[in-house]
Amino acid sequence: MYAKKVEYLKGLMAGLSLDPNTNEYKLFTAVIEALDAFGGALGDVEEDVTDLEDTIDGLNEEMDAVSDLLDGVFGESGDEENIRPFPGGDDDSEDEENGEYEVTCPGCSHVFIVDEDTIFKGKASCPSCGEKLTFDINSGCGCGHCHEGHDEKDDE
């Protein structure tokens, strides 16, 4: 695209029949050469941008596929986001001490209460629809006793 425009300018300059020894001829030649270099560089940038757009589109499609897979595993919002201390007031520190948590089932949106031991076991069943919920809160929670004294053989 830019090459055609530069060629057009070269043709116009040739039609002027300027003497190659004049300052005008030298100026026009330098300007046209600069435009040709900028046009080539700009064309390269446009190709790079197109390649990047294609790459981003491909990555977006892959991320959508991964998101769909995760939605199938954790439900639409992820089980960890559906857990909060019960009864859930403004000061959650007191609520956490009682060891009861409010859980929202991602399948049927039923809200129910589970105790701290159930949360640490990492799984529970929704009393309304029976969907199996998993909780992965043990990694990095900092309580100092995770994975110690918890029965992993208890399946609910």
Side-chain angles (χ1 to χ4, degrees), residues 8-95:
Y8 175 74
L9 290 175
K10 286 181 183 179
L12 284 177
M13 192 173 111
L16 293 176
S17 301
L18 295 174
D19 179 11
N21 296 322
T22 64
N23 288 336
E24 291 84 8
Y25 181 86
K26 292 175 186 175
L27 174 68
F28 288 146
T29 302
V31 168
I32 289 173
E33 286 174 0
L35 289 173
D36 191 27
F38 287 133
L42 190 56
D44 291 344
V45 168
E46 286 178 338
E47 285 179 28
D48 290 345
V49 167
T50 300
D51 290 345
L52 287 172
E53 287 173 343
D54 292 343
T55 300
I56 289 171
D57 288 343
L59 289 173
N60 282 336
E61 289 173 10
E62 290 179 26
M63 289 300 296
D64 287 343
V66 168
S67 178
D68 290 344
L69 287 172
L70 289 175
D71 285 346
V73 172
F74 291 111
E76 284 297 315
S77 62
D79 291 339
E80 289 80 12
E81 295 174 8
N82 296 331
I83 303 171
R84 65 186 181 104
F86 179 76
D90 291 333
D91 184 14
D92 288 340
S93 61
E94 288 180 24
D95 298 330

Side-chain angles (χ1 to χ4, degrees), residues 99-101 113-120 156:
E100 292 182 332
Y101 294 85
I113 307 301
V114 296
D115 62 9
E116 189 173 66
D117 289 336
T118 302
I119 295 289
F120 282 126
E156 292 190 53

